[in-house]
């Protein structure tokens, strides 16, 4: 591993530590969305007409059993509801509830306020450059992981 990659690995570790602390602070201060359920709730919310649990697993790259537990918890907290799928009676669609939308809005506001404070000394161009670089890195990391998995499967 070259020096630049090693340094990036260190920065990513630091970033993940910061994200973990950020998530814990959110839970401590705002418990509108229980720990571990924000990601699935956001994915459901992005689906204008709802989604199936299997779609949620695919989009979130999550194990179906993990999604099943998360959906059960979201339903139990009143943030999501299951509705019969009009095209497939065996399936149900996951729909975010008004309480779920309110909890998501509150959570997004909390994160927005914190990020505004964290980036107060950044120029708009610096924020845009970071956002662009993170988007590219995330995509390229996904490609590298898929390539790595394909190589492992070939062995």
């Amino acid at each position: 591993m070259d020096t630049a990659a090693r340094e990036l690995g260190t920065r990513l570790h630091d970033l993940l530590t910061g994200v973990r602390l950020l998530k814990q602070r959110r839970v401590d201060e705002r418990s509108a969305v229980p720990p571990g359920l924000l990601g699935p709730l956001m994915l459901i919310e992005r689906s204008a007409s709802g989604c199936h649990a299997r779609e949620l697993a695919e989009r979130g790259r999550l194990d179906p059993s993990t999604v099943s537990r998360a959906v059960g918890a979201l339903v139990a907290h009143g943030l999501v509801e299951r509705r019969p799928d009009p095209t497939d009676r065996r399936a149900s669609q996951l729909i975010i509830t008004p309480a779920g939308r309110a909890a998501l809005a509150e959570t997004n506001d909390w994160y927005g306020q914190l990020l505004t404070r964290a980036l107060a000394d950044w120029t708009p161009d610096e924020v845009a450059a970071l956002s662009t670089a993170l988007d590219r890195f995330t995509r390229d990391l996904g490609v590298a992981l898929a390539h790595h998995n394909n190589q492992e499967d070939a062995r």
Side-chain angles (χ1 to χ4, degrees):
M1 179 187 285
D2 69 14
T3 304
R6 186 172 290 123
E7 180 65 21
L8 179 58
T10 299
R11 294 299 134 245
L12 286 173
H13 180 268
D14 294 346
L15 175 63
L16 292 173
T17 299
V19 168
R20 182 179 49 78
L21 294 171
L22 177 68
K23 289 168 128 181
Q24 186 58 50
R25 176 70 59 89
R26 182 192 62 84
V27 169
D28 292 345
E29 291 182 16
R30 304 276 174 121
S31 60
V33 180
L37 300 181
L38 181 60
L41 184 61
M42 290 173 66
L43 289 171
I44 294 168
E45 195 262 342
R46 288 181 192 155
S47 303
S49 61
C51 68
H52 294 100
R54 79 178 131 60
E55 294 170 320
L56 188 59
E58 289 169 9
R59 278 191 239 139
R61 295 182 180 110
L62 298 167
D63 184 82
S65 64
T66 301
V67 169
S68 179
R69 286 190 300 275
V71 167
L74 288 167
V75 170
H77 283 89
L79 303 173
V80 169
E81 66 181 34
R82 291 183 178 105
R83 291 188 186 160
D85 184 330
T87 62
D88 183 354
R89 295 184 143 188
R90 298 166 297 163
S92 60
Q93 287 187 311
L94 305 172
I95 308 292
I96 192 167
T97 64
R101 288 191 193 289
L104 201 51
E106 179 184 337
T107 300
N108 286 333
D109 286 348
W110 187 87
Y111 278 118
Q113 290 170 12
L114 187 68
L115 288 174
T116 297
R117 284 193 306 271
L119 299 171
D121 293 336
W122 291 47
T123 67
D125 287 344
E126 288 172 324
V127 174
L130 175 62
S131 182
T132 299
L134 285 174
D135 182 54
R136 178 180 176 191
F137 178 71
T138 302
R139 280 193 324 270
D140 291 349
L141 185 58
V143 170
L145 286 170
H147 179 72
H148 178 76
N149 288 343
N150 290 339
Q151 284 182 333
E152 290 293 316
D153 290 344
R155 289 183 188 173

